């Protein structure tokens, strides 16, 4: 996950570098922290990492911070697992049903 890469005076960061030693619990805790901080407007997360905590990413429904899944250089992008794309498809299909179009 990434932000602009800031470290504040209390040595608190707005990013997490995920590697083979990073636990799913650390990713979950960081995601929860980032989505509740007022100084973060967008959370960038690779789709590969998002899949590790898919239940959290899919259940997150606030507009700010926005969650943006990005491709990883080591793992191919799969649009079927993109939470933003899924929500857009849902909104367009709901809009079509509401207006009588299919």
């Amino acid at each position: 996950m990434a932000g602009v890469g800031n470290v504040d005076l209390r040595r608190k960061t707005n990013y997490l570098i995920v590697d083979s030693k990073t636990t799913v619990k650390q990713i979950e805790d960081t995601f929860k922290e980032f989505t509740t901080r007022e100084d973060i407007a967008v959370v960038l997360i690779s789709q590969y990492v998002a899949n590790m905590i898919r239940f959290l990413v899919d259940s997150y429904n606030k507009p700010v911070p926005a969650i943006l899944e990005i491709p990883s250089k080591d793992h191919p992008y799969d649009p079927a697992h993109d939470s933003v794309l899924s929500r857009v498809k849902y909104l367009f299909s709901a809009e079509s049903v509401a207006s009588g179009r299919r």
Side-chain angles (χ1 to χ4, degrees):
M1 286 185 260
V4 176
N6 186 49
V7 180
D8 67 15
L9 295 174
R10 295 174 299 194
R11 307 291 299 153
K12 190 171 189 117
T13 63
N14 65 350
Y15 60 89
L16 173 68
I17 298 172
V18 177
D19 60 19
S20 61
K21 297 175 192 159
T22 308
T23 66
V24 172
K25 173 94 169 94
Q26 287 174 296
I27 297 168
E28 290 173 0
D29 291 345
T30 302
F31 181 83
K32 290 175 186 176
E33 176 192 343
F34 287 178
T35 55
T36 57
R37 284 178 50 177
E38 292 183 8
D39 63 331
I40 295 178
V42 177
V43 174
L44 301 175
I45 183 170
S46 75
Q47 189 177 59
Y48 175 75
V49 174
N51 285 337
M52 294 179 188
I53 57 166
R54 179 57 58 198
F55 66 98
L56 280 176
V57 174
D58 287 347
S59 65
Y60 181 79
N61 60 7
K62 297 178 184 170
V64 176
I67 308 301
L68 182 60
E69 293 182 38
I70 58 175
S72 163
K73 66 179 180 180
D74 299 326
H75 300 91
Y77 172 75
D78 182 0
H81 289 122
D82 189 323
S83 60
V84 173
L85 189 57
S86 297
R87 289 178 187 157
V88 169
K89 285 181 182 178
Y90 173 78
L91 289 173
F92 276 114
S93 66
E95 185 178 287
S96 295
V97 170
S99 67
R101 292 179 277 150
R102 289 204 183 234

